[in-house]
Amino acid sequence: MLNSVVEQPEELRKVVLVGFESAGKSALFRGLTGRDRGEESNVRGSTVTVRRAELLEHQLELLDTPGIRMKDDSVTTMLTLNQLAAGDTVILVIRGTDVVQELPLLLGMLDVTGKNAVLVLTFADKCGPGLSAQVNYYRKGLGISVLPLNTREMDGNTQDLICRAIVAARPMKRHPELASPPESPVDEPQTTMFEHTVWGRFVALAALVLLFAAPVYVAYLFSGWIQPLADAWILEPLHRMTAGLWSPLQAIMLGDYGMISLGLYSFIWAFPVVFLIGFSVAATEESGLKDGLPTRWMGGCAKSA
């Protein structure tokens, strides 16, 4: 009798993305997986959603945790991070523009002792010329790989670099040497109305509303223009072609609530809304407004309070 050997698939290495809100974790997840959303699941005992995606080529399972708020963080979020500490590798996602302030805070909130780790510094395109000195400093001080990235523009080479760093990841030093990190001047963007001390929060709120109101209004105008054309070019010819059919059957197919007429109208009125809102959201994420607008609005409200 022949013994058949069934090869068991190699267990995927769990890689957990952790970081503060607006650190660029979602962009990093999207850049590594090639999609906006992964499989979503709730952590046991909470309503917090975690995104998961498999990178089978590298035998990795990527978990994107909710961003931590520096202030007023919910207990649920912290419980989520503690439960996901069972991951094999932790990717610490920190804004390169704020690494000096945010990295000690994040390390103080997380217990990554003995965990393989990689530090990713996002918004590298907004950092000054001192970024390379910071990368070398944290690489030596933490004893792990440090990758400066512009997560909004990642190509195949960048993806491969990150995956190789994950596979080669090792635990950070038990006593990190972060006494005097070098400062990196930030390439400040041109000041806009969003930064105005009085009107900034209202401009940001108006921009957020327009991101959804404008696409819906444009879709409404487009659908109102295209529907008469669809009636003239599609439905009316079909009515003429089916004039000899049994009237109940014609009503089922082409009546006011018929399968063809209602399906066509649903497409005309729904598809432009979905398409334009999707385009608006994608443009907001790629331009960085998604990260900036909520921060400016909430920051403005906090100051006024």
Side-chain angles (χ1 to χ4, degrees):
M1 183 171 56
L2 297 177
N3 292 326
S4 60
V5 179
V6 178
E7 292 186 1
Q8 296 295 331
E10 184 179 348
E11 186 176 355
L12 299 180
R13 177 183 297 187
K14 287 183 171 58
V15 181
V16 184
L17 301 179
V18 295
F20 292 117
E21 278 189 329
S22 303
K25 288 190 303 82
S26 297
L28 180 59
F29 181 89
R30 182 172 62 251
L32 287 173
T33 61
R35 47 188 169 173
D36 288 334
R37 306 185 71 84
E39 178 184 348
E40 296 187 348
S41 60
N42 288 347
V43 176
R44 184 186 307 173
S46 75
T47 57
V48 176
T49 300
V50 176
R51 296 191 300 175
R52 304 170 185 264
E54 295 181 351
L55 303 178
L56 297 179
E57 180 181 354
H58 301 278
Q59 291 297 304
L60 302 175
E61 181 184 8
L62 202 62
L63 293 83
D64 182 19
T65 63
I68 306 172
R69 296 178 182 176
M70 287 193 179
K71 297 179 179 179
D72 302 325
D73 190 22
S74 66
V75 176
T76 305
T77 301
M78 296 307 302
L79 288 175
T80 302
L81 295 174
N82 291 334
Q83 292 191 39
L84 292 180
D88 302 298
T89 303
V90 177
I91 299 183
L92 305 170
V93 184
I94 297 285
R95 287 175 289 197
T97 53
D98 301 287
V99 61
V100 175
Q101 296 79 23
E102 294 185 0
L103 180 58
L105 292 175
L106 186 62
L107 292 178
M109 300 172 74
L110 302 175
D111 182 11
V112 294
T113 305
K115 294 288 181 184
N116 294 328
V118 175
L119 174 60
V120 171
L121 302 181
T122 58
F123 297 98
D125 55 314
K126 301 182 183 300
C127 296
L131 178 62
S132 59
Q134 284 189 328
V135 170
N136 292 331
Y137 174 83
Y138 288 113
R139 184 179 292 134
K140 294 177 181 178
L142 297 173
I144 60 175
S145 296
V146 180
L147 305 176
L149 301 174
N150 177 10
T151 52
R152 294 191 298 274
E153 297 179 4
M154 292 174 52
D155 55 20
N157 292 331
T158 304
Q159 295 171 358
D160 185 62
L161 174 65
I162 298 172
C163 290
R164 285 191 284 111
I166 293 172
V167 172
R170 57 187 178 183
M172 70 171 59
K173 294 180 179 180
R174 297 187 65 87
H175 302 287
E177 301 169 4
L178 305 176
S180 12
E183 294 286 345
S184 176
V186 179
D187 291 336
E188 295 290 349
Q190 184 177 0
T191 302
T192 65
M193 278 296 296
F194 295 127
E195 282 76 35
H196 194 280
T197 54
V198 177
W199 300 107
R201 79 191 78 157
F202 300 106
V203 174
L205 180 61
L208 284 172
V209 172
L210 286 176
L211 287 174
F212 295 96
V216 170
Y217 181 67
V218 172
Y220 171 79
L221 294 178
F222 175 79
S223 299
W225 171 76
I226 202 70
Q227 180 177 329
L229 299 179
D231 288 337
W233 295 349
I234 299 176
L235 294 183
E236 290 179 7
L238 287 176
H239 274 289
R240 292 193 295 268
M241 293 171 58
T242 60
L245 289 179
W246 185 40
S247 56
L249 178 59
Q250 187 184 43
I252 291 174
M253 301 300 294
L254 295 169
D256 291 339
Y257 299 98
M259 296 173 59
I260 295 178
S261 54
L262 187 60
L264 180 63
Y265 288 149
S266 297
F267 178 81
I268 288 175
W269 288 95
F271 177 76
V273 174
V274 174
F275 175 79
L276 290 177
I277 288 183
F279 178 82
S280 176
V281 171
T284 304
E285 290 183 349
E286 293 301 323
S287 65
L289 281 176
K290 177 185 175 182
D291 295 331
L293 283 177
T295 301
R296 293 181 180 114
W297 167 250
M298 295 305 295
C301 289
K303 289 179 181 179
S304 64

